[in-house]
Amino acid sequence: MIKPIELVIFDCDGVLVDSERIAARVQVALGAELGWPLTEDEVVARFIGRSHAAIREQVAERLGRETAAVWHERFEQLHREAVDAGLAPVEGLVEALDEITLPTCVASSGSHEKMRHTLGRTGLYERFEGRIHSSTEVARGKPAPDLFLYAAERMGADPAACVVVEDSGPGVRAARAAGMRALGYAGGLTPAERLEGSGTVVFHDMRKLPALLREM
């Protein structure tokens, strides 16, 4: 028997704030600058949804740890500048949040510092303050289930009664591994086919989220 929803867990980048396009653009530019030419699709496949530590490890394997450190520092700088220049909530997200009455929280591969910045710039931080969880607090990032299980524990929810809203392949895989249902948002950079799978409903319009939650 499917348990009633006790908690909706939101990813941050690409689900709450429209930052994945910024991140992908910056990663492509850094690859060209530092010696690892990447297309946007390659960045999405390799980096989107993963923690900074996991991305840094990939760069280190390819270019060495010194270059990986430079890449990380440059990304932080360029991403912050781009966010300050113009970051918005995902289209339809604010309307959806206004309709959702279920308990909610955030669980993201990003650091708390990064989320304070991006959620703060878009006026969303206050909506989730005190209920924001980062992969820096667990041993393994997505696609491991650790972060979502940690968020459920902190929020006092049964994992089987949680629904995760994600926009990346590693994110939906982490939700499944945690024994949670997933809603895969395909309105961003990740193609719908990379989100599909058992226990996952793929959708393209964030305004439909409240109705999808009511149907689960």
Side-chain angles (χ1 to χ4, degrees), residues 13-41:
D13 295 302
V15 170
L16 297 178
V17 294
D18 195 14
S19 55
E20 296 293 42
R21 290 179 175 84
I22 291 173
R25 186 170 68 247
V26 171
Q27 297 286 24
V28 168
L30 286 173
E33 175 186 332
L34 297 174
W36 188 6
L38 292 162
T39 66
E40 182 180 274
D41 189 60

PDB file of all heavy atoms in Angstrom, residues 13-41:
ATOM      1  N   ASP A  13      19.167  23.537  -7.285  1.00  0.00           N
ATOM      2  CA  ASP A  13      19.540  24.020  -8.612  1.00  0.00           C
ATOM      3  C   ASP A  13      18.746  23.318  -9.709  1.00  0.00           C
ATOM      4  O   ASP A  13      18.751  22.094  -9.806  1.00  0.00           O
ATOM      5  CB  ASP A  13      21.035  23.799  -8.849  1.00  0.00           C
ATOM      6  CG  ASP A  13      21.886  24.628  -7.904  1.00  0.00           C
ATOM      7  OD1 ASP A  13      21.729  25.857  -7.914  1.00  0.00           O
ATOM      8  OD2 ASP A  13      22.683  24.047  -7.151  1.00  0.00           O
ATOM      9  N   GLY A  14      18.045  24.115 -10.517  1.00  0.00           N
ATOM     10  CA  GLY A  14      17.256  23.561 -11.613  1.00  0.00           C
ATOM     11  C   GLY A  14      15.847  23.179 -11.227  1.00  0.00           C
ATOM     12  O   GLY A  14      15.015  22.922 -12.099  1.00  0.00           O
ATOM     13  N   VAL A  15      15.558  23.146  -9.925  1.00  0.00           N
ATOM     14  CA  VAL A  15      14.207  22.838  -9.436  1.00  0.00           C
ATOM     15  C   VAL A  15      13.594  24.065  -8.765  1.00  0.00           C
ATOM     16  O   VAL A  15      12.458  24.431  -9.047  1.00  0.00           O
ATOM     17  CB  VAL A  15      14.233  21.639  -8.465  1.00  0.00           C
ATOM     18  CG1 VAL A  15      12.892  21.470  -7.759  1.00  0.00           C
ATOM     19  CG2 VAL A  15      14.584  20.355  -9.212  1.00  0.00           C
ATOM     20  N   LEU A  16      14.335  24.682  -7.869  1.00  0.00           N
ATOM     21  CA  LEU A  16      13.871  25.907  -7.230  1.00  0.00           C
ATOM     22  C   LEU A  16      14.381  27.149  -7.962  1.00  0.00           C
ATOM     23  O   LEU A  16      13.628  28.079  -8.225  1.00  0.00           O
ATOM     24  CB  LEU A  16      14.330  25.947  -5.764  1.00  0.00           C
ATOM     25  CG  LEU A  16      13.785  24.845  -4.851  1.00  0.00           C
ATOM     26  CD1 LEU A  16      14.365  24.996  -3.451  1.00  0.00           C
ATOM     27  CD2 LEU A  16      12.263  24.855  -4.798  1.00  0.00           C
ATOM     28  N   VAL A  17      15.668  27.150  -8.249  1.00  0.00           N
ATOM     29  CA  VAL A  17      16.271  28.296  -8.944  1.00  0.00           C
ATOM     30  C   VAL A  17      16.793  27.853 -10.304  1.00  0.00           C
ATOM     31  O   VAL A  17      17.309  26.745 -10.462  1.00  0.00           O
ATOM     32  CB  VAL A  17      17.406  28.933  -8.111  1.00  0.00           C
ATOM     33  CG1 VAL A  17      16.835  29.554  -6.850  1.00  0.00           C
ATOM     34  CG2 VAL A  17      18.493  27.922  -7.768  1.00  0.00           C
ATOM     35  N   ASP A  18      16.660  28.734 -11.285  1.00  0.00           N
ATOM     36  CA  ASP A  18      17.029  28.396 -12.665  1.00  0.00           C
ATOM     37  C   ASP A  18      18.530  28.624 -12.865  1.00  0.00           C
ATOM     38  O   ASP A  18      18.960  29.448 -13.681  1.00  0.00           O
ATOM     39  CB  ASP A  18      16.212  29.252 -13.631  1.00  0.00           C
ATOM     40  CG  ASP A  18      16.254  28.712 -15.049  1.00  0.00           C
ATOM     41  OD1 ASP A  18      16.675  27.558 -15.236  1.00  0.00           O
ATOM     42  OD2 ASP A  18      15.864  29.453 -15.969  1.00  0.00           O
ATOM     43  N   SER A  19      19.324  27.860 -12.119  1.00  0.00           N
ATOM     44  CA  SER A  19      20.770  28.074 -12.086  1.00  0.00           C
ATOM     45  C   SER A  19      21.558  27.053 -12.893  1.00  0.00           C
ATOM     46  O   SER A  19      22.762  27.253 -13.121  1.00  0.00           O
ATOM     47  CB  SER A  19      21.260  28.034 -10.632  1.00  0.00           C
ATOM     48  OG  SER A  19      20.851  26.822 -10.016  1.00  0.00           O
ATOM     49  N   GLU A  20      20.938  25.947 -13.316  1.00  0.00           N
ATOM     50  CA  GLU A  20      21.697  24.922 -14.028  1.00  0.00           C
ATOM     51  C   GLU A  20      22.224  25.435 -15.365  1.00  0.00           C
ATOM     52  O   GLU A  20      23.317  25.055 -15.793  1.00  0.00           O
ATOM     53  CB  GLU A  20      20.846  23.666 -14.229  1.00  0.00           C
ATOM     54  CG  GLU A  20      20.438  22.960 -12.943  1.00  0.00           C
ATOM     55  CD  GLU A  20      21.594  22.336 -12.182  1.00  0.00           C
ATOM     56  OE1 GLU A  20      22.668  22.966 -12.072  1.00  0.00           O
ATOM     57  OE2 GLU A  20      21.428  21.218 -11.681  1.00  0.00           O
ATOM     58  N   ARG A  21      21.461  26.280 -16.029  1.00  0.00           N
ATOM     59  CA  ARG A  21      21.946  26.849 -17.292  1.00  0.00           C
ATOM     60  C   ARG A  21      23.185  27.715 -17.055  1.00  0.00           C
ATOM     61  O   ARG A  21      24.132  27.707 -17.849  1.00  0.00           O
ATOM     62  CB  ARG A  21      20.839  27.657 -17.974  1.00  0.00           C
ATOM     63  CG  ARG A  21      19.707  26.813 -18.535  1.00  0.00           C
ATOM     64  CD  ARG A  21      18.635  27.663 -19.181  1.00  0.00           C
ATOM     65  NE  ARG A  21      17.621  26.844 -19.816  1.00  0.00           N
ATOM     66  CZ  ARG A  21      16.580  26.313 -19.172  1.00  0.00           C
ATOM     67  NH1 ARG A  21      16.440  26.511 -17.873  1.00  0.00           N
ATOM     68  NH2 ARG A  21      15.692  25.570 -19.806  1.00  0.00           N
ATOM     69  N   ILE A  22      23.165  28.459 -15.952  1.00  0.00           N
ATOM     70  CA  ILE A  22      24.332  29.261 -15.598  1.00  0.00           C
ATOM     71  C   ILE A  22      25.524  28.358 -15.321  1.00  0.00           C
ATOM     72  O   ILE A  22      26.631  28.580 -15.831  1.00  0.00           O
ATOM     73  CB  ILE A  22      24.021  30.141 -14.364  1.00  0.00           C
ATOM     74  CG1 ILE A  22      23.002  31.231 -14.711  1.00  0.00           C
ATOM     75  CG2 ILE A  22      25.307  30.757 -13.802  1.00  0.00           C
ATOM     76  CD1 ILE A  22      22.532  32.030 -13.514  1.00  0.00           C
ATOM     77  N   ALA A  23      25.309  27.319 -14.503  1.00  0.00           N
ATOM     78  CA  ALA A  23      26.393  26.417 -14.141  1.00  0.00           C
ATOM     79  C   ALA A  23      26.973  25.731 -15.368  1.00  0.00           C
ATOM     80  O   ALA A  23      28.198  25.614 -15.513  1.00  0.00           O
ATOM     81  CB  ALA A  23      25.897  25.373 -13.146  1.00  0.00           C
ATOM     82  N   ALA A  24      26.111  25.269 -16.266  1.00  0.00           N
ATOM     83  CA  ALA A  24      26.582  24.578 -17.467  1.00  0.00           C
ATOM     84  C   ALA A  24      27.398  25.520 -18.343  1.00  0.00           C
ATOM     85  O   ALA A  24      28.456  25.134 -18.874  1.00  0.00           O
ATOM     86  CB  ALA A  24      25.398  24.014 -18.245  1.00  0.00           C
ATOM     87  N   ARG A  25      26.925  26.754 -18.482  1.00  0.00           N
ATOM     88  CA  ARG A  25      27.642  27.732 -19.302  1.00  0.00           C
ATOM     89  C   ARG A  25      29.030  28.006 -18.731  1.00  0.00           C
ATOM     90  O   ARG A  25      30.026  28.080 -19.467  1.00  0.00           O
ATOM     91  CB  ARG A  25      26.829  29.016 -19.382  1.00  0.00           C
ATOM     92  CG  ARG A  25      27.399  30.066 -20.314  1.00  0.00           C
ATOM     93  CD  ARG A  25      26.426  31.213 -20.524  1.00  0.00           C
ATOM     94  NE  ARG A  25      26.220  32.024 -19.337  1.00  0.00           N
ATOM     95  CZ  ARG A  25      25.091  32.101 -18.656  1.00  0.00           C
ATOM     96  NH1 ARG A  25      24.030  31.393 -19.038  1.00  0.00           N
ATOM     97  NH2 ARG A  25      24.990  32.876 -17.595  1.00  0.00           N
ATOM     98  N   VAL A  26      29.113  28.122 -17.413  1.00  0.00           N
ATOM     99  CA  VAL A  26      30.393  28.378 -16.760  1.00  0.00           C
ATOM    100  C   VAL A  26      31.322  27.177 -16.902  1.00  0.00           C
ATOM    101  O   VAL A  26      32.522  27.326 -17.174  1.00  0.00           O
ATOM    102  CB  VAL A  26      30.178  28.735 -15.274  1.00  0.00           C
ATOM    103  CG1 VAL A  26      31.514  28.782 -14.532  1.00  0.00           C
ATOM    104  CG2 VAL A  26      29.463  30.072 -15.143  1.00  0.00           C
ATOM    105  N   GLN A  27      30.785  25.969 -16.743  1.00  0.00           N
ATOM    106  CA  GLN A  27      31.624  24.767 -16.868  1.00  0.00           C
ATOM    107  C   GLN A  27      32.174  24.623 -18.285  1.00  0.00           C
ATOM    108  O   GLN A  27      33.343  24.244 -18.465  1.00  0.00           O
ATOM    109  CB  GLN A  27      30.822  23.518 -16.476  1.00  0.00           C
ATOM    110  CG  GLN A  27      30.336  23.471 -15.042  1.00  0.00           C
ATOM    111  CD  GLN A  27      31.426  23.183 -14.022  1.00  0.00           C
ATOM    112  OE1 GLN A  27      32.612  23.425 -14.258  1.00  0.00           O
ATOM    113  NE2 GLN A  27      31.030  22.646 -12.877  1.00  0.00           N
ATOM    114  N   VAL A  28      31.362  24.895 -19.275  1.00  0.00           N
ATOM    115  CA  VAL A  28      31.837  24.828 -20.667  1.00  0.00           C
ATOM    116  C   VAL A  28      32.974  25.828 -20.877  1.00  0.00           C
ATOM    117  O   VAL A  28      34.007  25.502 -21.487  1.00  0.00           O
ATOM    118  CB  VAL A  28      30.675  25.096 -21.656  1.00  0.00           C
ATOM    119  CG1 VAL A  28      31.220  25.314 -23.066  1.00  0.00           C
ATOM    120  CG2 VAL A  28      29.701  23.920 -21.655  1.00  0.00           C
ATOM    121  N   ALA A  29      32.814  27.043 -20.359  1.00  0.00           N
ATOM    122  CA  ALA A  29      33.842  28.073 -20.504  1.00  0.00           C
ATOM    123  C   ALA A  29      35.134  27.674 -19.794  1.00  0.00           C
ATOM    124  O   ALA A  29      36.238  27.859 -20.327  1.00  0.00           O
ATOM    125  CB  ALA A  29      33.332  29.407 -19.957  1.00  0.00           C
ATOM    126  N   LEU A  30      35.010  27.105 -18.604  1.00  0.00           N
ATOM    127  CA  LEU A  30      36.192  26.678 -17.862  1.00  0.00           C
ATOM    128  C   LEU A  30      36.904  25.527 -18.564  1.00  0.00           C
ATOM    129  O   LEU A  30      38.140  25.472 -18.588  1.00  0.00           O
ATOM    130  CB  LEU A  30      35.803  26.262 -16.441  1.00  0.00           C
ATOM    131  CG  LEU A  30      35.472  27.409 -15.490  1.00  0.00           C
ATOM    132  CD1 LEU A  30      34.936  26.868 -14.182  1.00  0.00           C
ATOM    133  CD2 LEU A  30      36.699  28.273 -15.239  1.00  0.00           C
ATOM    134  N   GLY A  31      36.139  24.605 -19.132  1.00  0.00           N
ATOM    135  CA  GLY A  31      36.744  23.512 -19.874  1.00  0.00           C
ATOM    136  C   GLY A  31      37.576  24.009 -21.039  1.00  0.00           C
ATOM    137  O   GLY A  31      38.693  23.543 -21.283  1.00  0.00           O
ATOM    138  N   ALA A  32      37.037  24.979 -21.757  1.00  0.00           N
ATOM    139  CA  ALA A  32      37.760  25.562 -22.885  1.00  0.00           C
ATOM    140  C   ALA A  32      39.017  26.285 -22.414  1.00  0.00           C
ATOM    141  O   ALA A  32      40.069  26.240 -23.064  1.00  0.00           O
ATOM    142  CB  ALA A  32      36.850  26.516 -23.647  1.00  0.00           C
ATOM    143  N   GLU A  33      38.924  26.936 -21.273  1.00  0.00           N
ATOM    144  CA  GLU A  33      40.042  27.717 -20.745  1.00  0.00           C
ATOM    145  C   GLU A  33      41.151  26.834 -20.170  1.00  0.00           C
ATOM    146  O   GLU A  33      42.345  27.130 -20.333  1.00  0.00           O
ATOM    147  CB  GLU A  33      39.521  28.657 -19.657  1.00  0.00           C
ATOM    148  CG  GLU A  33      40.592  29.463 -18.931  1.00  0.00           C
ATOM    149  CD  GLU A  33      40.013  30.253 -17.767  1.00  0.00           C
ATOM    150  OE1 GLU A  33      38.822  30.626 -17.812  1.00  0.00           O
ATOM    151  OE2 GLU A  33      40.764  30.504 -16.804  1.00  0.00           O
ATOM    152  N   LEU A  34      40.766  25.732 -19.518  1.00  0.00           N
ATOM    153  CA  LEU A  34      41.736  24.953 -18.748  1.00  0.00           C
ATOM    154  C   LEU A  34      42.150  23.637 -19.395  1.00  0.00           C
ATOM    155  O   LEU A  34      42.933  22.884 -18.810  1.00  0.00           O
ATOM    156  CB  LEU A  34      41.185  24.695 -17.340  1.00  0.00           C
ATOM    157  CG  LEU A  34      40.953  25.963 -16.508  1.00  0.00           C
ATOM    158  CD1 LEU A  34      40.274  25.625 -15.191  1.00  0.00           C
ATOM    159  CD2 LEU A  34      42.266  26.701 -16.259  1.00  0.00           C
ATOM    160  N   GLY A  35      41.609  23.340 -20.586  1.00  0.00           N
ATOM    161  CA  GLY A  35      42.134  22.198 -21.313  1.00  0.00           C
ATOM    162  C   GLY A  35      41.270  20.953 -21.348  1.00  0.00           C
ATOM    163  O   GLY A  35      41.765  19.862 -21.649  1.00  0.00           O
ATOM    164  N   TRP A  36      39.981  21.092 -21.058  1.00  0.00           N
ATOM    165  CA  TRP A  36      39.062  19.952 -21.186  1.00  0.00           C
ATOM    166  C   TRP A  36      37.828  20.436 -21.947  1.00  0.00           C
ATOM    167  O   TRP A  36      36.818  20.764 -21.344  1.00  0.00           O
ATOM    168  CB  TRP A  36      38.676  19.403 -19.819  1.00  0.00           C
ATOM    169  CG  TRP A  36      37.885  18.120 -19.887  1.00  0.00           C
ATOM    170  CD1 TRP A  36      37.588  17.381 -20.988  1.00  0.00           C
ATOM    171  CD2 TRP A  36      37.287  17.446 -18.767  1.00  0.00           C
ATOM    172  NE1 TRP A  36      36.842  16.272 -20.649  1.00  0.00           N
ATOM    173  CE2 TRP A  36      36.654  16.291 -19.291  1.00  0.00           C
ATOM    174  CE3 TRP A  36      37.233  17.689 -17.405  1.00  0.00           C
ATOM    175  CZ2 TRP A  36      35.957  15.384 -18.487  1.00  0.00           C
ATOM    176  CZ3 TRP A  36      36.549  16.797 -16.594  1.00  0.00           C
ATOM    177  CH2 TRP A  36      35.925  15.651 -17.123  1.00  0.00           C
ATOM    178  N   PRO A  37      37.887  20.489 -23.278  1.00  0.00           N
ATOM    179  CA  PRO A  37      36.736  20.960 -24.056  1.00  0.00           C
ATOM    180  C   PRO A  37      35.507  20.082 -23.805  1.00  0.00           C
ATOM    181  O   PRO A  37      35.575  18.859 -23.941  1.00  0.00           O
ATOM    182  CB  PRO A  37      37.214  20.835 -25.508  1.00  0.00           C
ATOM    183  CG  PRO A  37      38.705  20.830 -25.422  1.00  0.00           C
ATOM    184  CD  PRO A  37      39.032  20.134 -24.141  1.00  0.00           C
ATOM    185  N   LEU A  38      34.410  20.722 -23.429  1.00  0.00           N
ATOM    186  CA  LEU A  38      33.172  20.022 -23.119  1.00  0.00           C
ATOM    187  C   LEU A  38      32.006  20.719 -23.801  1.00  0.00           C
ATOM    188  O   LEU A  38      31.945  21.947 -23.846  1.00  0.00           O
ATOM    189  CB  LEU A  38      32.914  20.017 -21.600  1.00  0.00           C
ATOM    190  CG  LEU A  38      33.858  19.194 -20.724  1.00  0.00           C
ATOM    191  CD1 LEU A  38      33.749  19.643 -19.273  1.00  0.00           C
ATOM    192  CD2 LEU A  38      33.531  17.706 -20.840  1.00  0.00           C
ATOM    193  N   THR A  39      31.062  19.918 -24.300  1.00  0.00           N
ATOM    194  CA  THR A  39      29.812  20.482 -24.797  1.00  0.00           C
ATOM    195  C   THR A  39      28.845  20.627 -23.623  1.00  0.00           C
ATOM    196  O   THR A  39      29.054  20.046 -22.549  1.00  0.00           O
ATOM    197  CB  THR A  39      29.179  19.574 -25.856  1.00  0.00           C
ATOM    198  OG1 THR A  39      28.793  18.334 -25.225  1.00  0.00           O
ATOM    199  CG2 THR A  39      30.143  19.292 -26.998  1.00  0.00           C
ATOM    200  N   GLU A  40      27.778  21.380 -23.828  1.00  0.00           N
ATOM    201  CA  GLU A  40      26.775  21.520 -22.776  1.00  0.00           C
ATOM    202  C   GLU A  40      26.181  20.162 -22.403  1.00  0.00           C
ATOM    203  O   GLU A  40      25.979  19.862 -21.221  1.00  0.00           O
ATOM    204  CB  GLU A  40      25.662  22.469 -23.208  1.00  0.00           C
ATOM    205  CG  GLU A  40      24.615  22.694 -22.120  1.00  0.00           C
ATOM    206  CD  GLU A  40      23.508  23.636 -22.537  1.00  0.00           C
ATOM    207  OE1 GLU A  40      23.701  24.859 -22.388  1.00  0.00           O
ATOM    208  OE2 GLU A  40      22.476  23.148 -23.021  1.00  0.00           O
ATOM    209  N   ASP A  41      25.918  19.310 -23.395  1.00  0.00           N
ATOM    210  CA  ASP A  41      25.349  18.000 -23.116  1.00  0.00           C
ATOM    211  C   ASP A  41      26.309  17.149 -22.281  1.00  0.00           C
ATOM    212  O   ASP A  41      25.879  16.412 -21.388  1.00  0.00           O
ATOM    213  CB  ASP A  41      25.006  17.275 -24.413  1.00  0.00           C
ATOM    214  CG  ASP A  41      24.206  16.001 -24.165  1.00  0.00           C
ATOM    215  OD1 ASP A  41      23.100  16.108 -23.591  1.00  0.00           O
ATOM    216  OD2 ASP A  41      24.698  14.906 -24.503  1.00  0.00           O
TER     217      ASP A  41
END
